[in-house]
Amino acid sequence: MRRIATTLPVLMHAILRPRPDGKLIRLGSDYGGWWVPERSVGEGRTAYCAGAGEDISFDLELLARGIKVTVFDPTPRAIDYVQRTAPQDPNFRFEPVGWWDSEQTLRFYAPRNEAHVSHSAVNLQRTDRFFEAQVSTVRELAKKLDDTDIEIIKMDIEGAEYAVLSSLMDQGPLPSTLCMEFDQPESIFKTIAAVRDLRRHGYSLRHIEGWNYTFTRD
């Protein structure tokens, strides 16, 4: 099983063939970092980062480069972590709400390993323990926060990315740079279909690191 888990990202790279365009830079820690086009990282722009967990190093590097950053995560441990870690900066905001394709209250199921912080609205690991939290669409959150032009969206949301991606394609907002983790276990055919849908909406796949994918839209 471990060999399969290691081989699948290599297979996906061969199938999907990311095409770098311009200079890509990696921001954040070894665990929580992401590749983004250097041209997308500029002062005065806006980034939405969903899924803080206990590593907001990517978010903080964006902030240090002059980007207005909003972090979203409804997980109690993540809320506590962000409140202890977040800087006192007017360009940094935290919203303890989850992302979904509608506004409602959802159950977020715990991981099998209690040492891990991330919970899943789609119950990726098929556990019984959960908490309930409010979720919303990115479009509604952007309206509430009065953000009209989002340059970067990053989401690491434990299986909810497919529902959120569908909402983004239907309703917007469509960022210039989209960073997504396709959380496992999940069918690779579902991931391939999602990438194809993004390409139909004008996105190009620029980089794959494990299950972290970076897309850009011209």
Side-chain angles (χ1 to χ4, degrees):
M1 290 297 292
R2 185 174 297 175
R3 178 179 294 179
I4 293 173
T6 303
T7 303
L8 276 177
V10 177
L11 175 63
M12 295 294 281
H13 195 284
I15 292 172
L16 297 171
R17 298 182 181 181
R19 297 182 179 180
D21 178 31
K23 184 178 179 182
L24 296 174
I25 56 174
R26 194 179 193 281
L27 303 179
S29 67
D30 289 344
Y31 174 77
W34 291 81
W35 290 90
V36 294
E38 187 173 40
R39 65 178 181 270
S40 71
V41 182
E43 189 170 350
R45 297 179 180 179
T46 298
Y48 276 18
C49 299
E54 292 177 325
D55 188 328
I56 57 170
S57 56
F58 173 73
D59 319 50
L60 294 180
E61 285 212 40
L62 293 177
L63 180 70
R65 290 167 181 260
I67 294 178
K68 180 181 177 182
V69 178
T70 306
V71 178
F72 303 82
D73 199 317
T75 310
R77 268 177 59 185
I79 294 171
D80 179 65
Y81 166 78
V82 174
Q83 288 175 341
R84 288 185 287 105
T85 308
Q88 297 298 313
D89 190 306
N91 284 327
F92 185 93
R93 300 176 297 187
F94 177 65
E95 296 289 328
V97 61
W99 285 10
W100 195 242
D101 60 3
S102 62
E103 292 187 291
Q104 58 178 293
T105 300
L106 285 184
R107 291 180 175 183
F108 285 79
Y109 288 86
R112 292 189 182 278
N113 185 341
E114 294 186 5
H116 295 165
V117 60
S118 300
H119 286 55
S120 171
V122 300
N123 201 5
L124 274 177
Q125 299 187 25
R126 301 295 182 261
T127 60
D128 296 325
R129 293 173 292 110
F130 64 87
F131 68 87
E132 293 187 340
Q134 289 296 120
V135 295
S136 185
T137 66
V138 183
R139 180 174 183 240
E140 288 303 316
L141 289 167
K143 286 171 60 178
K144 170 189 170 185
L145 296 169
D146 198 27
D147 291 318
T148 57
D149 187 12
I150 301 172
E151 177 73 17
I152 299 172
I153 284 181
K154 180 224 80 175
M155 63 175 102
D156 179 359
I157 50 179
E158 306 303 314
E161 60 271 9
Y162 295 101
V164 173
L165 180 58
S166 177
S167 174
L168 288 177
M169 297 303 97
D170 289 343
Q171 306 174 11
L174 297 177
S176 298
T177 298
L178 176 63
C179 300
M180 296 180 58
E181 179 176 24
F182 291 101
D183 283 285
Q184 303 305 304
E186 193 58 88
S187 166
I188 65 169
F189 299 106
K190 193 171 183 179
T191 303
I192 292 169
V195 173
R196 288 175 176 168
D197 193 32
L198 279 163
R199 284 172 168 161
R200 285 193 291 270
H201 283 81
Y203 282 92
S204 299
L205 177 59
R206 299 305 185 189
H207 192 81
I208 295 176
E209 182 179 79
W211 291 102
N212 289 357
Y213 289 39
T214 298
F215 302 86
T216 63
R217 184 173 188 265
D218 296 328

